[in-house]
Amino acid sequence: MNASINANTTTGSSNYVVWRILDGKAGHEAQTLGLVKALEKRVELLHYEIKAPTRWKSLSGLILKNFAPQESLPPPSLIIGAGNRTHLAMLAASRVYGGKTIVLMHPTLPVALFDLCLVPKHDSKKPGANVLLTDGVLNPIQPANDADPKRGLFLIGGPSAHYQWNTGTILEQVITLIQERADIHWTLTTSRRTPSDCTRQLVDLSYPNLEVIPVEKTPRGWVSEKLQKCKTAWVSEDSVSMVYEALTAGASTGLLGVPSASNKSRVRNSVQLLLEQQRVVRFEAREQLPKLENDTILAEADRCADYVINHLLEAKNT
């Protein structure tokens, strides 16, 4: 099997080795990066990034006990992955080299095959011996230390398996917020799911306190940087991962209404949980946004890193 390697180390000697299996999807890679960064704050580690082979190569490697990266690597303490394509590769790597496996989702394979599954609460009903439930998916966002209350951010998504779309409704909500909060300088960006007609109409908006930057013009990491500067964020309800990123940064977070495709959607259930916890508010209740408690900041990557250290790493050395 071939695997592309990218090594990253913390300063000083390394006590642990992490293999991060990547499937090429930015969302999945952000989840595992969040966990790795949280671990790096707590322990010294050597971190390798390995591109996942095809499922067929991973399956044959698991059966034949063969997983051979392009370079000779130190054996892993942890093997981390997110996304269906990484699951078999993780198991194959563990069978050949050892190392505890951590999957960041409800896996398509039996959970018993992995040492730890970090599963969003909306994807699983209960924890287990090797299942830790999380508030949303992990991310590498850090709490903002100098966010400006006079800066706000709009994050616009698009139709998905869980949500439909209404461009007119989105425009009405955005315009209302811009006009009502003329004291805030707003920045707006779209996503790759945003319909082209919606993007076009958003770009055509002309307000002195609004800057529109379509996703095509934003480099990787742009949203993370903006969340460090903006105290307020309004996110279209379909973009649930962005909602959790805004909360992790400590932004006062509101939801732009989007038609739901199903009342039984697991993503919709996740949003409903946030509403019940009073972590976010809907557009219709926007006057409540300043009243949200300051303890809405999430630190799920840190919490999971502590769990990994206590239950997988230190437990292994005792």
Side-chain angles (χ1 to χ4, degrees):
M1 287 185 186
N2 293 324
S4 62
I5 306 298
N6 179 38
N8 300 277
T9 63
T10 58
T11 304
S13 61
S14 179
N15 294 328
Y16 301 105
V17 176
V18 174
W19 288 12
R20 188 160 70 105
I21 310 297
L22 307 180
D23 66 355
K25 294 185 178 181
H28 292 158
E29 294 180 11
Q31 293 177 44
T32 55
L33 180 60
L35 180 58
V36 168
K37 284 186 172 295
L39 287 169
E40 286 177 335
K41 291 190 298 184
R42 291 160 170 77
V43 296
E44 302 252 354
L45 59 81
L46 181 65
H47 161 218
Y48 290 93
E49 296 175 356
I50 303 176
K51 183 178 179 180
T54 64
R55 287 188 178 90
W56 172 248
K57 287 184 177 179
S58 295
L59 178 60
S60 63
L62 177 61
I63 295 173
L64 300 176
K65 199 176 181 180
N66 175 32
F67 188 93
Q70 290 177 341
E71 300 179 14
S72 178
L73 305 178
S77 308
L78 301 173
I79 301 171
I80 302 173
N84 294 339
R85 184 179 165 188
T86 68
H87 296 170
L88 287 171
M90 293 170 62
L91 296 176
S94 180
R95 187 179 184 208
V96 176
Y97 299 101
K100 300 290 187 178
T101 53
I102 305 176
V103 60
L104 277 71
M105 61 184 298
H106 196 290
T108 52
L109 300 174
V111 296
L113 295 176
F114 300 90
D115 293 290
L116 179 62
C117 303
L118 301 177
V119 183
K121 290 179 180 177
H122 58 262
D123 282 343
S124 181
K125 295 182 179 180
K126 60 181 181 179
N130 64 330
V131 176
L132 179 64
L133 299 185
T134 64
D135 286 328
V137 297
L138 304 193
N139 60 70
I141 302 295
Q142 295 298 307
N145 295 319
D146 56 355
D148 188 345
K150 295 299 182 182
R151 288 187 174 273
L153 183 64
F154 288 109
L155 299 172
I156 308 299
S160 67
H162 306 282
Y163 285 91
Q164 303 174 23
W165 194 252
N166 187 315
T167 293
T169 300
I170 287 292
L171 286 168
E172 290 176 5
Q173 294 173 85
V174 168
I175 291 171
T176 297
L177 290 164
I178 292 170
Q179 292 177 338
E180 289 184 350
R181 295 303 309 269
D183 59 316
I184 292 180
H185 178 80
W186 296 96
T187 302
L188 183 150
T189 192
T190 56
S191 76
R192 302 193 186 281
R193 291 186 291 106
T194 307
S196 57
D197 70 303
C198 183
T199 298
R200 184 173 59 254
Q201 294 184 61
L202 289 168
V203 170
D204 288 343
L205 293 177
S206 180
Y207 291 90
N209 61 327
L210 174 67
E211 179 184 19
V212 179
I213 305 177
V215 64
E216 294 80 8
K217 297 183 179 180
T218 62
R220 177 168 289 192
W222 183 91
V223 170
S224 299
E225 292 180 5
K226 284 296 180 182
L227 285 173
Q228 296 299 306
K229 301 175 182 178
C230 299
K231 186 60 179 177
T232 302
W234 281 92
V235 189
S236 61
E237 186 175 329
D238 59 282
S239 302
V240 68
S241 63
M242 292 294 189
V243 172
Y244 281 104
E245 289 187 0
L247 290 172
T248 303
S252 298
T253 305
L255 302 177
L256 300 174
V258 180
S260 177
S262 171
N263 290 331
K264 297 181 180 180
S265 164
R266 58 183 177 82
V267 175
R268 181 181 172 87
N269 292 340
S270 179
V271 170
Q272 185 59 39
L273 181 61
L274 290 175
L275 288 165
E276 293 172 0
Q277 295 172 339
Q278 297 184 340
R279 294 182 181 272
V280 299
V281 299
R282 291 193 182 277
F283 172 78
E284 293 80 7
R286 55 192 178 278
E287 70 279 358
Q288 299 295 322
L289 188 62
K291 300 177 183 179
L292 291 179
E293 298 294 334
N294 292 329
D295 61 1
T296 55
I297 296 176
L298 292 177
E300 287 298 88
D302 291 319
R303 183 173 71 90
C304 291
D306 288 336
Y307 186 93
V308 168
I309 291 170
N310 292 330
H311 292 80
L312 297 186
L313 293 180
E314 290 187 356
K316 182 179 178 181
N317 293 333
T318 58

